[in-house]
Amino acid sequence: MKFFIDTANLDQIKEAEALGVLDGVTTNPSLMAKEGITGAANILNHYVAICDAVEGDVSAEVIATDFDGMIKEGEALATLHPQIVVKIPMIEDGVKALKYFAGKGIKTNCTLVFSAGQALLAAKAGATYVSPFIGRLDDVSTDGLNLIQEIRHIYDNYAFETQILAASVRHTMHVIDCAKIGADVMTGPLSSIKGLLNHPLTDIGLAKFLADYKKGN
Ligand code: E4P
């Protein structure tokens, strides 16, 4: 299972990278705005800074919502850095753009996926990654993990190569449940990755080991 961090915050990206378990980064316009990164030139520079900080795929989202605009923006993003994956929304022209980029050998991440039907379309169009937003489904009383299970089942039926990127992950249990189901990738905040470290028995056990060592030395 690949671990992506879902942030545009360079310090957090570097902290996750330093842990040695990071496989990539996802961003979106809201995450960029949260870091105060605005204006096309600054946003492009920030993508390059993120790519320089990590090994692995870095998703950069197009703003255009028409086919020609998405192609133009996506091609510019793809030339920015070899690690860039073009993030395309699940809309009609987005599906066409996914197909176009697949033909060009440019990696894509189909974002804002909330149903198995949308995930099926993304796979048919040749998306590299599909991003079902599990946290946002949970927010509206719909089981996000159930969607991951449905997509896993469908993709396995036909050996689709599109990777399931569980997105909108909010906490450690999302990560663990996605791993049990067999999501290929999860993207979440730093807390969802570092939270996996925590267990009180580890802390208690370590304190006891160190105390006992000190007794004999
Ligand atoms: C995925 O690529 C999105 O950036 C992200 O996971 C959205 O998460 P949120 O629902 O916590 O905003």
Side-chain angles (χ1 to χ4, degrees), residues 104-128:
K104 295 269 169 193
I106 292 174
K107 285 187 180 180
T108 53
N109 174 358
C110 181
T111 190
L112 292 168
V113 167
F114 293 94
S115 76
Q118 291 177 325
L120 180 54
L121 268 180
K124 289 282 293 170
T128 313

Side-chain angles (χ1 to χ4, degrees), residues 6 26-28 31 87 109 111 131 133 135-136 167-170 187:
D6 194 31
T26 51
T27 63
N28 63 41
L31 292 171
K87 207 171 178 188
N109 174 358
T111 190
S131 285
F133 277 35
R136 291 193 194 184
S168 188
V169 159
R170 300 277 169 78
T187 190

Side-chain angles (χ1 to χ4, degrees), residues 12 17 36 49 65 75 89 94 104 116 172 212:
Q12 290 184 17
E17 175 74 8
T65 53
E75 283 180 336
K104 295 269 169 193
T172 55
D212 286 345

Side-chain angles (χ1 to χ4, degrees), residues 144-158:
L145 290 167
N146 184 50
L147 176 59
I148 301 293
Q149 215 145 17
E150 282 184 318
I151 300 171
R152 181 74 283 157
H153 187 85
I154 291 168
Y155 282 13
D156 288 350
N157 278 349
Y158 299 98

